Amino acid sequence: MLFCLTASHRNTEFDVLDRISRVSESTGADLVAAHSFVRGAVVLSTCNRFEAYLELDEPLAAPATLAREAVLEALAGSIGDDAALIRDSAEAIAGDDVVQHLFTVSSGLHSMVVGEEEITGQVQRALRDARTAGTTSPALEQAFQRAAHATREVRATADMGAAGRSLARLALDLAESRVSDWADVPVLLVGTGSYAATTIAALQARGATDVRVYSATGRAQRFAARYGVRAESDLREAIRVARLVITCTTRYVITTDDVVADAAPRLFVDLGLPRNIDPEVGTVEGVELLDLELIGRHAALPELGAGAHEVVGSAVATFTAERDAAPAIVAVRTHIQDALEAELGRLRTDGSDARAEAALRHLAGVLSHTPSVRAREFAAAGRLGEFEAALETVFGVTVATDRAATQRDAAC
């Protein structure tokens, strides 16, 4: 059984998301280590979202309740009193609804900016991090891998990618009314992550030519050379010169000590969560501050992704049909392989050559193909029971019920 506890801009206050975004990277490992019923865990933490995806042992009494409490317990050490707020606001999802949710999130349809591009990479990085920590499971691997495939289908079919939606682009759209000529505006980026690269592309597309970058980690020079911008080493001086400051980092928080009061108008855009800019900066003379909460109020309505939701629904139906058909497919393949090995054993005794063995193995593959396809078709049509009954009637094959094992075998 799959489970997800999700806290995002859709159900949780930004201040809470800001604080819980500092959650420990060991949360997934803590969950697997502390609870025997947790087979695997993938934790997704982005600028406006925290989600814990779990695979649970079955059967369990009240599995969703147990899993919810396990996640909150693991979070308590990192977020303290905010765990109580998450308990009240976060949504718990279980079963096939988790697949639907994951595919939708990965496609950017639950993002603050509908169709944003960054979330897809963040979802896959969460999976890679879980692999590194050793906390993935077969069911989670399959779901996250197919989420990436579903996202590509959404972007190809619903053309979400071509719309070029992202937090950085939306922020610049909002800044447009304050800019007469992008070529004349000194811009400072604080941070050298993926959002910084996206922001540079969006700035250059608008005609910005004076773009500078500062990094608290010392990576500004290399980053600047790669993207054709200028590196800065003195943050306070760089902020004084800039008319537009965009932050996208997890390493530094700009405070009023970094900002020199100036009568000339300056716009600060905070794309970070945790916050990269202390809200007090917005009180400095000449400074206007846009943060994620304000940007989110101007994001596209979720209804704009209606066509994309249909694509996601189709991808989920295909995924669940293939998953449900896996035991029957494994049963067919096992039956054929057992017959093959018995025949090969007889032929080897008679001194058969390698060509005969290769031909028989090819034949076994051919014989397995059509029943495998039909199993998926019957599963998709809600008639998998008929297919399994036919297997038992014709071949005397009983379908295994250990889903995790059969999913692994079917994938081989």
Side-chain angles (χ1 to χ4, degrees):
M1 176 180 173
L2 293 180
F3 171 85
C4 175
L5 185 71
T6 171
S8 73
H9 64 97
R10 299 162 64 92
N11 56 29
T12 304
E13 294 294 330
F14 270 91
D15 285 346
V16 178
L17 290 173
D18 181 24
R19 294 191 294 271
I20 69 170
S21 62
R22 302 177 179 86
V23 67
S24 172
E25 294 180 359
S26 67
T27 299
D30 292 342
L31 282 164
V32 173
H35 303 282
S36 60
F37 60 84
V38 178
R39 288 186 176 182
V42 177
V43 175
L44 171 66
S45 184
T46 74
C47 63
N48 52 46
R49 177 179 303 278
F50 169 84
E51 297 187 333
Y53 291 87
L54 310 181
E55 182 186 358
L56 309 177
D57 268 328
E58 294 186 86
L60 285 171
T65 300
L66 283 173
R68 182 188 182 96
E69 292 304 313
V71 175
L72 291 170
E73 177 186 317
L75 287 176
S78 298
I79 64 176
D81 293 341
D82 282 331
L85 298 176
I86 295 300
R87 181 187 299 278
D88 294 336
S89 65
E91 179 184 2
I93 308 170
D96 288 345
D97 289 343
V98 174
V99 179
Q100 177 86 35
H101 176 77
L102 174 60
F103 286 17
T104 304
V105 167
S106 179
S107 299
L109 301 181
H110 276 181
S111 294
M112 190 165 62
V113 181
V114 175
E116 68 149 321
E117 300 152 344
E118 289 86 356
I119 185 63
T120 305
Q122 292 166 336
V123 168
Q124 293 308 307
R125 280 195 294 277
L127 176 61
R128 291 195 295 271
D129 290 344
R131 286 174 182 161
T132 300
T135 64
T136 56
S137 68
L140 289 171
E141 283 278 354
Q142 289 183 348
F144 273 76
Q145 290 173 20
R146 291 300 293 271
H149 179 74
T151 298
R152 289 193 291 272
E153 288 185 345
V154 166
R155 298 200 185 286
T157 306
D159 201 25
M160 298 295 286
R165 299 184 178 95
S166 74
L167 284 174
R169 291 184 177 90
L170 177 59
L172 295 183
D173 288 344
L174 296 177
E176 200 91 54
S177 62
R178 295 127 169 122
V179 176
S180 56
D181 186 349
W182 282 99
D184 295 334
V185 178
V187 181
L188 173 66
L189 295 181
V190 179
T192 55
S194 58
Y195 267 35
T198 300
T199 304
I200 288 175
L203 284 165
Q204 292 174 339
R206 285 167 167 78
T209 57
D210 186 359
V211 180
R212 311 174 187 202
V213 62
Y214 170 84
S215 172
T217 61
R219 292 184 291 193
Q221 288 286 351
R222 185 169 58 182
F223 183 89
R226 180 179 180 182
Y227 291 99
V229 297
R230 174 178 166 181
E232 294 285 358
S233 59
D234 186 327
L235 179 61
R236 182 178 171 85
E237 176 61 18
I239 290 176
R240 187 189 67 79
V241 173
R243 301 268 71 84
L244 172 60
V245 178
I246 304 173
T247 63
C248 34
T249 180
T250 58
R251 303 285 186 176
Y252 196 85
V253 176
I254 293 176
T255 69
T256 53
D257 292 338
D258 299 310
V259 183
V260 178
D262 190 337
R266 285 175 292 174
L267 178 62
F268 284 63
V269 178
D270 187 352
L271 297 179
L273 201 63
R275 296 180 190 273
N276 296 166
I277 303 176
D278 188 319
E280 287 298 311
V281 170
T283 66
V284 176
E285 182 183 5
V287 170
E288 180 181 4
L289 175 60
L290 295 181
D291 60 13
L292 282 177
E293 185 168 10
L294 182 57
I295 292 170
R297 295 173 190 167
H298 296 269
L301 294 174
E303 288 76 8
L304 294 180
H309 281 283
E310 295 178 3
V311 179
V312 167
S314 177
V316 171
T318 299
F319 174 85
T320 55
E322 292 181 353
R323 180 204 61 200
D324 293 343
I329 293 171
V330 169
V332 170
R333 291 178 180 176
T334 301
H335 176 74
I336 293 173
Q337 287 298 318
D338 289 347
L340 170 65
E341 293 302 328
E343 185 64 15
L344 287 175
R346 185 184 66 78
L347 288 175
R348 291 181 189 120
T349 302
D350 294 341
S352 66
D353 61 19
R355 288 178 298 177
E357 181 171 338
L360 284 173
R361 291 194 181 280
H362 175 72
L363 176 61
V366 171
L367 292 175
S368 299
H369 175 71
T370 299
S372 297
V373 172
R374 295 293 285 164
R376 294 186 181 98
E377 291 175 348
F378 271 68
R383 300 170 58 195
L384 187 57
E386 296 177 35
F387 183 87
E388 293 176 347
L391 281 182
E392 186 167 3
T393 299
V394 176
F395 297 111
V397 173
T398 301
V399 176
T401 57
D402 185 346
R403 176 174 292 172
T406 53
Q407 283 176 331
R408 287 194 297 271
D409 293 341
C412 295

